[in-house]
Amino acid sequence: MSDKRLPGNTLASHKAGRTVASAPASIWRRTLEHRSFLAGSILTSLLAGMALLSLFWTPHNPTRINIRQRLASPSLEHWLGTDQFGRDILSIIMTGAQNSIMVGVVAVGIGLLFGVMLGLIAASAKGWVEELIMRVCDFMYAFPVILLAIMLVATLGSGAINAILAIGIFAIPTFARLARASANAIWSREFVLAAQAAGKSAIRITWEHILPNIVSVIVVQATVEFALAVLAEAALSYLGIGSQPPTPSWGRMLSEVQTLVFLNPWLAVYPGAAIAMTVLGLNLLGDGLRDVLDPRLVYKR
Amino acid sequence: MTLLTVDDLSVSLDTAQGRAQAVRDLSFDLGPGDTLGIVGESGCGKTMSALAILGLLPDNAVTTGAIRLNDRDLLNCTEAEWCDIRGNQIAMIFQEPMTSLNPVHPIGRQIMEGMFLHRALSKAQALEETIRLLETVGIQNAAERLKHYPHQLSGGQRQRVMIAIALANQPRLLIADEPTTAVDVTIQKQILGLINKLIDEFDMGLVLISHDLGVIAKLVERVIVMYGGVAVETGSVETIFSDPAHPYTCGLLSAIPRIDRSTHSRHKRLPTIPGVVPDLVDMPAGCTFSDRCSLATDTCRTVPPVPVVLSSHHQVACYHLDRARAQWQTGPR
Amino acid sequence: MKFFLIKRLSTFAATLFAATLLTFFALEILPGDPALVILGVDAPDSAVAALREQLGLNRPVTERYIDWISHFLRGELGVSYTYSVPVSELLRERLAITIPLALMAMALSVVIAFSLGIYAATHHNRHGDVLVMGVSQLGISIPNFWLALMLILLFAVNLGWFASGGFPGWYAGWWPALKALILPAIALATVQGAILARFTRSATLETMREDYVRTARAKGLNRRQTLWRHVLRNAMISVVTVMGLQFANLLAGTIVVESVFALPGIGRLILQSIANRDVVVVRDIVTLLVAMVVIINLVVDLLYALIDPRLRSSDV
Amino acid sequence: MNRPESNNTLALEVIDLCKTYVLPRDNLFRPARSVKAVAGVSFQIKAGQSLGLVGESGCGKSTLARLIMGLEIPTSGTVRISGSDIGRLSRKELQPLRRKFQIVFQDPFGSLDPRQTVSQIVAEPLEALETAPRTQIRTRVIAALDDVGLKNSDAAKYPHEFSGGQRQRIAIARALVTRPGLIIADEPVSALDVSVQAQILNLLQDLRDEYALTYLLISHNLAVVEHFCDNVAVMHNGIFVEYGLTSQIFQKPSHSYTKTLLDAVLPTPSHS
């Protein structure tokens, strides 16, 4: 035994894999002290709140066209002004939040469900099953999300659903790799051996030992993937292969105003800022969660 | 003349849990060719003491006291001066030969790196010296081996390479931190034999850090027993092992199972020290051992004992050393 | 090493093969008859049938796949339905924009990432580190096409330093051509660089905690020497992997950013071809892009073996 | 010192056990290399006796432990626990038998799930083996914790709240909870501080006396084995080079490897 148990940042037992934290009390303390976690949750709740509010109320009808009011500057009536069809920009942005959240939830849901399942199967089955699953994941990595979406759209036609599907499919290998890597790390621990020695089946071990120990990594990755999904959807809508009119979408707002930026630059600023703030909030939240949930778990993007 | 003087050295670490007092008021000196062992359990401050002598404490460490090498005050050295001393006058062997070598460089390069840093050598000279050094530490086919990468060597060979790196500039002082903990007993015997031979050959001072009393006894003349960051007992190897006076030392010695080829100790209970090694952040106010000591009184718990000089080679920090010695004499063994 | 190479090359081939299968058959179920697309919906049935015959559309699918793949491997791409020019010709023009753009963006992002990431790691928990991490967090969050728009607003509309889009062509001289690619490259590189910078930082920090770094310091190397000789090369092992994976995203980003800057590159071509139902072009481009990603990843793996001797030797 | 043997039944019998691992190929055109981790090992432990297994890293002792625990399938050979050949049993048939043998691992930090409470950890073998009512499980967990010197209130805590020695006690409680006859202890004290090591060794001894436990103690520390075991097996390159009474082997080692091993042990100077 050496002095490895000594606290201290460079000599601390970072590879000893010892649990230092995760006592409930210290989780709360760390949570409140963690600045990026706080900032992230505030931004994310803002987004969620905005989307929620827009379900019941927006300053104006986001789809109502009013040519006389087109390209109005910000005023008391239209806080952020109007677009080229006279629609209220604030209302569109608020409603657009719904779209982003929906895309994020569904796409991450698809990726999470299938990815984690595949990763856990790969880690518990080992051998050729693991090899096969991982090779398929590698293969999927060769298709960038946009390309995948383009192919889907090319075969099935444009539309929000296909875009979400493409984003979700693209997230599968990421979750699968992460789940497998973290699950393998847990499988090699002695407490799993102890559970095997106790006679537990691989499924029970996965459920009782593996999953609880990797859930924090998965949650962190889910927030990051949520952010990526919002970005990807915006890009696809911008290219015209994402959500279709009249559904308000931040990405499509940008493509619609592109020719007008020289007249009224703010038209391009608002939706972009909305995307950036959403993504920033989710990324900060993910970063914070990573530190708060478990400071020792290694994570890879 | 002394080579190394450590005077009232204290090391504390600022951690999330609070300030950890890793080493408290450690003092000793070492002449050229002297050998000193620091023995203790995990968290007793032995590795921190070693890293302090090498100026390699983590950034969150605060050091007070003095460390002098040939009368030069090391704690006031600039980083550049430290770099000139490390690997040149003081060298260190680490515990894990597996992770202590850089996996992406051939071993020859890792040995020569230190030579080029401190001496003006031509490439041919360095190469020649490296081959000689590898032969000295007992690696066969040295000329061939130096092109090898760490993962191509066995654990014992890697530790030999670590020793070669430490010896590259013939340091005056060698610090060995648990040099054999990660290797098998048969390899341990070879490595210890090698270190023993080399400190004679190179006339180096040795500070050996180990939790293993057997390793300590094999290599050094003088021992410091540390507990909770404090030197509780200091003395010659013979004194410490045959006539210990601190209750911790006594407890430690009797708790070790040993091979006694003549009698059977089987099924006999080992004497134990109750409790666990203290947390450095939350140390007893008085004697660091007071919460595990059967002899502890209120004074022990509140006022740290001052070392008592029993003989020229024996110092003990304990209020009840007479009772502890009496207990040891009539002890279970 | 030999075994590693063989194994790597065979997965490379298998991935490519699977990609061609997927692309080909996915596009087979594409609604819309190419013959109708070319001739228009009002064309007489006989003409459509003749064209189908001419295009070979009435042959069995597998036969057409084999035909396509064998031509593709020989570099003989099909003829575009809509442009009526060989796809290879189309591609040559377009790639002359997309590849320099991607390479510029990659180079730029690596420069950004390494300098910022290493700076942040060596100033861990100090102001510089916090600043770099904050900025890179922002960089990751900005959609690249929006950044592109903002760059146009600032540098083209307000300052007038660059054109707001379009491409003069390489025959206009290398500087005007390059100049047209600078803003798009910056837009692409910012996001990629920010991601890579964070990764470089964490990989460097991780490596700085290794035991062999302490050994290096104990030899008397100063912090700078330790960083350059012992930390970076080991940290690069993981950074290089991420760089490879990032390349796919970079290509995807190129498609979008070309659209913002109205650059006639591969991205624009593929979007137009989809709108036009030009299967031949879509098929070849998708395959080509996938091949590019796979080749980059192969290169990364080989690079990996160069950096890490543990992969090279046979006794692992 | 030989205690009277309670009976002559064999707690564990291993006959000609082999385990060969096929290494990943490094050359396509040559047959894959394989390594014999365990190359024909036979021994038996009588109920209530303790066998010490010593050897250096890579000698095959951990593989042997896993084979006996049924965590890996042997290439050939037989493992009989209390007379039943566990290799011939299906997973389902093996299940009820598992309560008779349990394992304690080396690393007190890795062998406990950080996300589970002590009572969940200790209850695991019970829950996996039988459908005992909750209250009964609870009682037996408390009893097992009591056996290893932990408090009732410790049951709700998480592993990270304990020191290394206490964690090893938790691991021992988990092994004890099914009231097994045989415990395989794989380096149970080598990760512990010397002062704590003695506590754990004493605990294992007390439990042996109280429950007539049979131990297979795997260790690289010869002194621990000499102190603890009736019989010793010295393992080298997958086989037993020497196997017999502890007193005999430590006094008169016959195999050269045993001699080397014993010679390498550093004598700790003790007061005479």
Side-chain angles (χ1 to χ4, degrees):
Chain A
M1 284 265 84
S2 71
D3 288 12
K4 280 243 164 125
R5 208 183 295 159
L6 272 179
N9 57 11
T10 46
L11 284 171
S13 51
H14 58 278
K15 44 193 164 231
R18 292 170 186 174
T19 313
V20 209
S22 75
S26 63
I27 279 196
W28 287 116
R29 214 194 55 227
R30 276 206 307 276
T31 307
L32 293 175
E33 282 171 359
H34 205 284
R35 254 179 280 163
S36 74
F37 180 80
L38 274 183
S41 4
I42 291 171
L43 279 173
T44 311
S45 358
L46 263 176
L47 167 82
M50 202 157 76
L52 210 65
L53 181 65
S54 70
L55 287 173
F56 310 104
W57 177 83
T58 48
H60 297 267
N61 182 342
T63 51
R64 199 190 62 209
I65 293 171
N66 185 349
I67 298 299
R68 269 176 305 160
Q69 282 278 325
R70 66 193 292 262
L71 295 175
S73 310
S75 64
L76 270 180
E77 202 193 340
H78 300 284
W79 289 4
L80 300 180
T82 60
D83 68 1
Q84 69 275 32
F85 301 111
R87 293 176 299 196
D88 181 53
I89 290 179
L90 180 62
S91 302
I92 309 182
I93 294 223
M94 282 176 70
T95 324
Q98 286 176 26
N99 185 54
S100 291
I101 287 184
M102 201 265 289
V103 169
V105 168
V106 177
V108 172
I110 294 173
L112 190 81
L113 189 71
F114 291 101
V116 172
M117 209 161 69
L118 285 173
L120 288 177
I121 291 173
S124 69
K126 301 260 183 282
W128 66 269
V129 179
E130 181 178 27
E131 188 73 9
L132 180 73
I133 291 175
M134 286 305 116
R135 287 293 82 79
V136 170
C137 286
D138 285 350
F139 171 65
M140 283 168 73
Y141 262 125
F143 287 85
V145 60
I146 305 266
L147 207 58
L148 203 67
I150 286 172
M151 279 179 62
L152 266 178
V153 169
T155 45
L156 305 173
S158 303
I161 309 247
N162 291 337
I164 295 174
L165 217 59
I167 298 168
I169 292 173
F170 184 72
I172 292 176
T174 313
F175 278 110
R177 278 189 168 197
L178 182 75
R180 169 186 162 262
S182 351
N184 270 341
I186 306 292
W187 271 101
S188 67
R189 303 279 293 274
E190 280 185 343
F191 63 79
V192 172
L193 217 54
Q196 284 176 297
K200 285 197 170 166
S201 65
I203 294 173
R204 254 186 104 173
I205 289 173
T206 298
W207 186 251
E208 289 172 19
H209 291 289
I210 311 293
L211 207 52
N213 275 291
I214 69 167
V215 79
S216 57
V217 200
I218 303 291
V219 168
V220 169
Q221 187 65 30
T223 55
V224 174
E225 288 295 316
F226 201 115
L228 289 177
V230 171
L231 274 179
E233 193 275 339
L236 290 175
S237 297
Y238 173 81
L239 292 176
I241 48 180
S243 55
Q244 301 297 310
T247 320
S249 145
W250 296 339
R252 217 185 50 256
M253 278 174 87
L254 278 170
S255 77
E256 284 169 359
V257 300
Q258 196 177 349
T259 48
L260 300 163
V261 286
F262 310 106
L263 286 171
N264 187 352
W266 289 107
L267 286 179
V269 172
Y270 298 131
I275 300 170
M277 285 303 115
T278 305
V279 175
L280 181 67
L282 287 163
N283 279 335
L284 287 175
L285 187 69
D287 257 22
L289 273 178
R290 174 158 58 245
D291 294 349
V292 168
L293 286 178
D294 206 332
R296 295 168 302 109
L297 286 165
V298 188
Y299 141 98
K300 278 183 182 157
R301 197 183 180 93
Chain B
M1 194 197 122
T2 54
L3 174 67
L4 176 76
T5 312
V6 173
D7 219 355
D8 275 341
L9 177 74
S10 292
V11 179
S12 56
L13 300 158
D14 285 319
T15 67
Q17 291 84 40
R19 174 163 284 211
Q21 189 73 49
V23 181
R24 238 190 280 177
D25 299 330
L26 179 70
S27 301
F28 65 84
D29 46 33
L30 191 78
D34 281 358
T35 51
L36 173 81
I38 300 180
V39 68
E41 297 177 291
S42 59
C44 74
K46 50 193 195 305
T47 293
M48 282 297 145
S49 312
L51 291 175
I53 298 170
L54 210 57
L56 282 180
L57 285 167
D59 294 337
N60 60 346
V62 183
T63 319
T64 59
I67 301 171
R68 278 189 292 277
L69 183 77
N70 292 328
D71 286 327
R72 181 177 181 186
D73 189 356
L74 295 184
L75 288 185
N76 292 324
C77 275
T78 62
E79 182 59 25
E81 288 170 328
W82 263 125
C83 287
D84 194 44
I85 292 167
R86 281 185 213 125
N88 193 13
Q89 300 183 46
I90 310 176
M92 185 156 173
I93 308 169
F94 296 99
Q95 175 176 5
E96 291 280 346
M98 185 76 192
T99 53
S100 293
L101 289 169
N102 191 333
V104 303
H105 295 312
I107 57 161
R109 186 171 158 185
Q110 301 192 47
I111 298 170
M112 281 186 275
E113 187 173 29
M115 295 181 182
F116 287 130
L117 209 58
H118 299 289
R119 288 187 279 165
L121 288 178
S122 72
K123 200 153 183 222
Q125 284 171 314
L127 207 62
E128 194 189 319
E129 207 166 314
T130 304
I131 293 173
R132 212 172 49 227
L133 203 53
L134 280 173
E135 280 163 357
T136 310
V137 298
I139 287 182
Q140 318 287 316
N141 293 333
E144 190 56 38
R145 276 290 177 186
L146 53 83
K147 291 176 209 138
H148 284 197
Y149 289 92
H151 71 270
Q152 294 166 306
L153 308 178
S154 71
Q157 285 173 322
R158 283 192 204 119
Q159 196 56 296
R160 288 170 192 271
V161 171
M162 284 302 296
I163 295 172
I165 289 176
L167 296 181
N169 294 303
Q170 310 208 345
R172 304 314 319 142
L173 174 66
L174 180 69
I175 303 171
D177 184 4
E178 305 269 10
T180 55
T181 308
V183 296
D184 282 322
V185 277
T186 48
I187 309 290
Q188 165 169 297
K189 195 185 174 193
Q190 298 167 7
I191 299 282
L192 293 180
L194 176 66
I195 296 179
N196 219 349
K197 188 189 97 185
L198 291 171
I199 47 175
D200 277 354
E201 209 171 300
F202 288 71
D203 195 29
M204 291 179 288
L206 172 75
V207 175
L208 173 77
I209 286 162
S210 183
H211 70 281
D212 190 331
L213 296 166
V215 172
I216 294 280
K218 169 109 185 162
L219 280 189
V220 303
E221 301 149 358
R222 215 145 42 94
V223 184
I224 296 177
V225 181
M226 284 187 83
Y227 185 83
V230 175
V232 293
E233 186 161 4
T234 311
S236 68
V237 167
E238 296 79 31
T239 321
I240 294 288
F241 287 134
S242 61
D243 187 21
H246 195 280
Y248 173 66
T249 318
C250 300
L252 196 64
L253 282 170
S254 45
I256 309 166
R258 40 190 102 211
I259 298 177
D260 198 340
R261 297 194 193 182
S262 51
T263 59
H264 278 288
S265 59
R266 243 178 338 288
H267 305 311
K268 228 191 250 173
R269 289 175 61 91
L270 286 166
T272 62
I273 307 173
V276 294
V277 179
D279 186 352
L280 289 179
V281 180
D282 184 24
M283 207 59 96
C287 172
T288 49
F289 189 57
S290 58
D291 61 345
R292 295 176 75 184
C293 182
S294 58
L295 303 173
T297 54
D298 285 346
T299 324
C300 297
R301 289 182 198 102
T302 45
V303 187
V306 187
V308 178
V309 180
L310 289 179
S311 70
S312 60
H313 289 299
H314 197 185
Q315 285 190 23
V316 187
C318 180
Y319 293 116
H320 306 294
L321 56 97
D322 292 334
R323 279 167 65 197
R325 286 174 103 174
Q327 246 181 30
W328 172 258
Q329 304 297 346
T330 57
R333 279 162 193 254
Chain C
M1 182 66 184
K2 220 186 264 164
F3 184 62
F4 171 77
L5 254 182
I6 292 169
K7 196 177 161 189
R8 202 56 202 80
L9 281 172
S10 54
T11 40
F12 167 74
T15 313
L16 263 191
F17 174 66
T20 58
L21 274 181
L22 186 71
T23 326
F24 187 88
F25 289 101
L27 292 173
E28 266 310 305
I29 49 172
L30 183 86
D33 189 337
L36 274 178
V37 173
I38 295 170
L39 296 171
V41 263
D42 303 332
D45 287 354
S46 59
V48 172
L51 188 61
R52 283 181 64 87
E53 175 77 45
Q54 192 197 324
L55 293 174
L57 287 177
N58 43 9
R59 284 185 298 148
V61 180
T62 42
E63 201 176 297
R64 277 187 291 136
Y65 170 76
I66 292 164
D67 195 42
W68 168 64
I69 202 83
S70 55
H71 280 95
F72 188 91
L73 284 178
R74 272 175 275 157
E76 297 165 15
L77 309 180
V79 176
S80 160
Y81 297 153
T82 41
Y83 297 89
S84 301
V85 283
V87 179
S88 46
E89 219 165 274
L90 271 178
L91 279 179
R92 203 171 304 132
E93 279 168 32
R94 305 299 179 112
L95 282 177
I97 295 169
T98 304
I99 288 186
L101 176 58
L103 288 180
M104 269 171 79
M106 197 78 196
L108 200 57
S109 72
V110 165
V111 171
I112 295 174
F114 285 7
S115 44
L116 289 187
I118 294 168
Y119 173 83
T122 49
H123 295 76
H124 184 44
N125 279 344
R126 282 185 257 168
H127 291 302
D129 179 27
V130 177
L131 184 74
V132 168
M133 282 304 98
V135 169
S136 68
Q137 187 68 270
L138 209 63
I140 292 175
S141 308
I142 294 173
N144 51 20
F145 58 97
W146 184 59
L147 181 65
L149 265 175
M150 294 295 113
L151 288 175
I152 293 176
L153 266 177
L154 183 64
F155 291 104
V157 179
N158 286 343
L159 296 173
W161 293 355
F162 297 94
S164 64
F167 187 71
W170 288 104
Y171 49 82
W174 64 270
W175 172 239
L178 215 57
K179 201 176 159 193
L181 297 181
I182 289 177
L183 285 186
I186 291 174
L188 277 172
T190 306
V191 182
Q192 303 292 319
I195 296 174
L196 212 53
R198 295 178 76 84
F199 201 86
T200 308
R201 171 183 176 267
S202 59
T204 309
L205 278 178
E206 193 93 340
T207 315
M208 284 188 340
R209 293 196 198 103
E210 293 285 349
D211 287 347
Y212 55 76
V213 172
R214 195 175 55 178
T215 308
R217 299 271 291 141
K219 281 183 211 170
L221 269 72
N222 61 32
R223 283 176 200 272
R224 175 176 290 269
Q225 289 165 327
T226 312
L227 182 76
W228 288 102
R229 297 190 199 167
H230 291 273
V231 176
L232 289 184
R233 187 156 164 199
N234 284 284
M236 280 314 126
I237 292 175
S238 50
V239 174
V240 159
T241 320
V242 178
M243 264 168 64
L245 293 175
Q246 287 288 311
F247 186 77
N249 291 339
L250 191 78
L251 275 184
T254 314
I255 298 177
V256 189
V257 168
E258 277 176 4
S259 181
V260 184
F261 285 93
L263 292 175
I266 291 283
R268 295 251 298 186
L269 180 64
I270 194 169
L271 288 173
Q272 284 162 353
S273 306
I274 287 196
N276 296 338
R277 294 273 173 272
D278 199 337
V279 191
V280 179
V281 179
V282 176
R283 186 161 70 196
D284 287 345
I285 294 180
V286 169
T287 312
L288 197 74
L289 289 181
V290 170
M292 276 164 77
V293 173
V294 180
I295 288 171
I296 288 289
N297 280 317
L298 180 74
V299 171
V300 163
D301 273 8
L302 297 183
L303 218 59
Y304 211 97
L306 271 184
I307 305 176
D308 193 345
R310 284 163 291 190
L311 275 176
R312 230 181 299 152
S313 63
S314 55
D315 51 5
V316 172
Chain D
M1 275 318 296
N2 282 335
R3 295 174 310 159
E5 279 154 25
S6 46
N7 52 42
N8 271 332
T9 55
L10 293 180
L12 174 68
E13 189 179 14
V14 168
I15 304 160
D16 203 19
L17 201 62
C18 287
K19 178 69 184 179
T20 308
Y21 290 107
V22 180
L23 295 177
R25 282 157 177 264
D26 55 13
N27 190 322
L28 269 180
F29 309 106
R30 261 182 246 152
R33 288 184 297 166
S34 60
V35 56
K36 280 189 171 175
V38 177
V41 162
S42 305
F43 65 92
Q44 30 187 258
I45 315 178
K46 287 187 187 120
Q49 293 257 317
S50 300
L51 173 69
L53 183 57
V54 295
E56 297 184 293
S57 52
C59 73
K61 50 191 201 296
S62 284
T63 308
L64 185 58
R66 289 157 149 270
L67 289 171
I68 295 169
M69 287 306 294
L71 295 174
E72 275 186 60
I73 298 156
T75 313
S76 68
T78 314
V79 176
R80 273 205 196 98
I81 290 171
S82 308
S84 348
D85 183 350
I86 63 163
R88 287 175 182 275
L89 301 177
S90 68
R91 225 185 76 90
K92 271 222 176 85
E93 289 167 322
L94 182 61
Q95 200 74 333
L97 203 70
R98 277 197 184 272
R99 86 183 66 173
K100 295 187 181 169
F101 56 104
Q102 292 288 333
I103 189 161
V104 176
F105 294 99
Q106 167 180 3
D107 179 9
F109 292 95
S111 65
L112 309 176
D113 188 339
R115 303 270 166 198
Q116 294 194 330
T117 61
V118 169
S119 69
Q120 280 175 305
I121 291 167
V122 175
E124 181 160 54
L126 278 183
E127 283 175 344
L129 298 183
E130 47 207 293
T131 45
R134 226 163 243 280
T135 49
Q136 200 194 327
I137 288 181
R138 168 110 196 126
T139 331
R140 290 177 69 173
V141 166
I142 297 293
L145 287 178
D146 186 52
D147 280 340
V148 298
L150 290 171
K151 292 190 288 282
N152 276 6
S153 57
D154 291 333
K157 291 186 185 165
Y158 286 88
H160 71 266
E161 298 171 61
F162 296 88
S163 69
Q166 284 173 308
R167 281 162 160 260
Q168 203 58 307
R169 286 175 195 270
I170 299 170
I172 294 169
R174 169 173 59 193
L176 274 183
V177 78
T178 58
R179 292 274 169 262
L182 171 69
I183 287 188
I184 293 157
D186 190 356
E187 304 270 9
V189 292
S190 58
L192 302 176
D193 279 319
V194 182
S195 65
V196 178
Q197 165 179 310
Q199 296 171 8
I200 298 296
L201 284 176
N202 282 347
L203 172 66
L204 291 173
Q205 259 176 19
D206 293 345
L207 294 169
R208 172 167 66 191
D209 295 341
E210 192 171 345
Y211 297 111
L213 290 176
T214 309
Y215 285 113
L216 173 60
L217 181 85
I218 298 171
S219 181
H220 68 275
N221 187 334
L222 277 80
V224 166
V225 168
E226 201 262 359
H227 170 80
F228 195 86
C229 301
D230 308 287
N231 296 300
V232 179
V234 181
M235 200 166 178
H236 186 54
N237 289 337
I239 53 163
F240 283 3
V241 293
E242 197 154 357
Y243 168 43
L245 281 174
T246 307
S247 46
Q248 261 173 24
I249 289 180
F250 278 77
Q251 276 170 44
K252 286 199 199 78
S254 56
H255 194 276
S256 64
Y257 179 71
T258 317
K259 282 178 194 153
T260 319
L261 214 53
L262 275 169
D263 283 344
V265 174
L266 299 168
T268 312
S270 68
H271 85 122
S272 39

